[in-house]
Amino acid sequence: MHYLDNAATTKVDLQVADHIRKVMEQSFANPSSLYKPGLDSELILRQSRAKVASAMGCTPAEVYFTGCGTESNNIAILGAVEARKEWADHIICTGYEHPSVQQPIEKLQQQGWKVTLVTPNEQGVIQPEQLADLVTSKTALVTAMQVNNETGAILDVQKLSKLVKEKNARTFVHVDGVQGWLRLPIKLSATQIDSYAVSGHKIHAPKGIGALYLKKNSNIIPPFLGGGQEKGIRPGTENLPYIAGLAMAAEMMQKNMPQRKKQIAHCNELLRSQLENMDGIVLNSPQDAAPEVLNFSVMGIRSETMLHFLEQKEVYVSSGSACSKGAASHTLAAMGLPSQRIDSALRVSFSKDSTQEDVQALLEGLAEGMASLARVK
Ligand code: PLP
């Protein structure tokens, strides 16, 4: 099989799966329990937090485990705004966010918050200045994704946080780092980013585990109430096996970064250079996008038609983001692309498991599909 949909999810690493099973079997005691097995679980929790902190470039005290990227985004956004409602009335956001950011923002707008959306240019790019220039004395939150899940477009979030704080030191800067973490190097403690959301299943850990970086002394009022786990930011008994799995996956991704980057860049260049020479294909990812994602349109052939044609060859790509389930791409629409280009878009996304053979199989499938599939006018 040629799995090229790693932005939707990655395959769990076997070593990670083994480790999770071991923690599940051997360390089932609640980390809050005061007896020895509980203390042993607590030690695993502490060690895991330190590993994730190392992969985020922050202190362990700034890492909070959550259920997924969606939950991390919701906690940060709703929590930051709640803590600033006495003096603020304004939120700034990009027009191409994942639904786990877009929908909380829409809800806040319905509640009376003024929302300014910044759309990308036709190449899919937003400059940090475009967001920061809009900050006023009443801006509670600026939220933006580091790497776009549909095109791979990169936003310089370090620069964004600096520019925002220069305009208003009280404005909270949240970054959705789900597609950026461990792909682009970042040392969060050296930035002015207040919070950064990540997800396990994008880095070869299972679905259902995430984390949130929250800068020391940054003020949020979290939406959930419960026991005091994760210092009350995300209460609920910790999912220790998955937390340990996330930590192991993060450590492995950190270690294999140079080698992996080389391999993924090679796959991307191979695909990009071939696509550029194929009539009827238009690239939708910017030239300097993260190499993990490449989005293009096969003009005249609907995304779903080509996707299912490729599926017969065991080549798996996406017609947009996995969350949109075949709906027209939110990001490509925000870029202002014509509907013929949006309706025929495919997203290919690479991981450490991707090979040159996967790219060749995709290219052969595309050429065959383009020669045999009926075109829409
Ligand atoms: N943010 C981005 C950019 C994503 O791509 C995704 C998942 O596709 C999420 C957030 C949500 O993460 P999770 O699936 O862990 O809830």
Side-chain angles (χ1 to χ4, degrees):
M1 114 149 135
H2 302 283
Y3 182 76
L4 289 168
D5 198 15
N6 292 278
T9 198
T10 56
K11 187 174 171 203
V12 176
D13 198 284
L14 283 182
Q15 255 180 284
V16 171
D18 281 349
H19 186 54
I20 288 173
R21 188 190 160 91
K22 212 169 99 199
V23 174
M24 212 175 257
E25 276 177 8
Q26 297 173 7
S27 309
F28 63 87
N30 191 319
S32 298
S33 296
L34 297 180
Y35 38 75
K36 168 93 174 49
L39 298 181
D40 291 345
S41 292
E42 210 260 330
L43 178 63
I44 294 173
L45 185 59
R46 225 174 327 129
Q47 289 167 339
S48 302
R49 203 181 303 283
K51 283 182 188 169
V52 172
S54 158
M56 284 181 165
C58 66
T59 64
E62 293 171 313
V63 174
Y64 299 83
F65 293 112
T66 67
C68 54
T70 296
E71 204 178 85
S72 300
N73 280 330
N74 273 262
I75 292 172
I77 290 168
L78 300 175
V81 164
E82 182 66 20
R84 285 159 184 77
K85 66 180 181 192
E86 298 306 324
W87 58 267
D89 64 4
H90 180 222
I91 296 167
I92 299 167
C93 180
T94 82
Y96 64 18
E97 292 299 308
H98 185 267
S100 60
V101 169
Q102 190 196 352
Q103 292 194 16
I105 297 293
E106 281 171 8
K107 186 176 167 193
L108 290 164
Q109 189 169 25
Q110 284 157 15
Q111 291 170 359
W113 286 84
K114 292 180 199 145
V115 173
T116 310
L117 290 184
V118 176
T119 48
N121 64 14
E122 207 181 315
Q123 281 70 50
V125 177
I126 295 180
Q127 299 299 341
E129 291 82 357
Q130 287 175 265
L131 294 153
D133 286 352
L134 298 164
V135 172
T136 71
S137 59
K138 291 197 160 186
T139 306
L141 169 73
V142 176
T143 179
M145 54 167 54
Q146 184 184 22
V147 171
N148 183 272
N149 53 316
E150 294 187 58
T151 63
I154 297 172
L155 176 69
D156 183 345
V157 289
Q158 179 156 358
K159 184 169 180 193
L160 172 69
S161 66
K162 180 174 172 286
L163 295 175
V164 169
K165 298 290 178 178
E166 276 167 14
K167 284 204 80 175
N168 186 348
R170 293 201 291 176
T171 302
F172 190 94
V173 179
H174 173 65
V175 173
D176 177 346
V178 167
Q179 299 285 350
W181 189 42
L182 291 161
R183 289 156 177 81
L184 301 175
I186 195 157
K187 190 173 187 312
L188 285 164
S189 63
T191 73
Q192 296 183 63
I193 294 166
D194 291 293
S195 61
Y196 184 86
V198 304
S199 172
H201 73 103
K202 312 291 184 177
I203 65 154
H204 306 279
K207 292 143 200 70
I209 182 69
L212 179 67
Y213 159 80
L214 201 53
K215 200 173 218 29
K216 191 174 169 221
N217 299 330
S218 64
N219 181 19
I220 72 162
I221 299 175
F224 304 129
L225 300 173
Q229 296 94 342
E230 300 303 295
K231 293 183 264 178
I233 297 293
R234 199 279 191 174
T237 305
E238 301 87 348
N239 184 350
L240 192 64
Y242 277 28
I243 288 172
L246 175 71
M248 179 182 256
E251 193 178 34
M252 287 165 66
M253 286 283 283
Q254 211 182 351
K255 276 198 189 130
N256 70 24
M257 177 110 103
Q259 158 64 24
R260 171 169 46 90
K261 293 285 325 167
K262 229 188 267 171
Q263 182 190 330
I264 289 175
H266 178 65
C267 287
N268 182 298
E269 277 155 27
L270 181 64
L271 180 58
R272 201 179 249 275
S273 62
Q274 295 291 317
L275 292 178
E276 276 166 355
N277 292 323
M278 285 166 79
D279 275 345
I281 296 217
V282 188
L283 296 183
N284 301 320
S285 289
Q287 192 68 36
D288 58 355
E292 281 78 4
V293 181
L294 187 58
N295 192 309
F296 56 92
S297 297
V298 186
M299 298 306 287
I301 299 177
R302 294 188 74 86
S303 311
E304 258 89 274
T305 308
M306 184 58 95
L307 183 151
H308 291 304
F309 182 84
L310 293 172
E311 180 187 10
Q312 291 166 30
K313 320 251 165 230
E314 294 196 29
V315 175
Y316 302 107
V317 300
S318 150
S319 60
S321 77
C323 302
S324 61
K325 278 230 163 136
S329 159
H330 166 60
T331 299
L332 302 188
M335 287 159 63
L337 300 188
S339 59
Q340 299 91 314
R341 217 161 128 189
I342 299 176
D343 294 344
S344 59
L346 295 175
R347 177 188 69 179
V348 170
S349 46
F350 301 111
S351 76
K352 70 174 176 66
D353 299 330
S354 308
T355 63
Q356 206 168 313
E357 288 70 42
D358 294 329
V359 176
Q360 287 303 352
L362 168 65
L363 286 165
E364 281 163 30
L366 280 172
E368 235 182 275
M370 287 169 78
S372 62
L373 292 169
R375 309 236 162 200
V376 286
K377 297 274 176 306

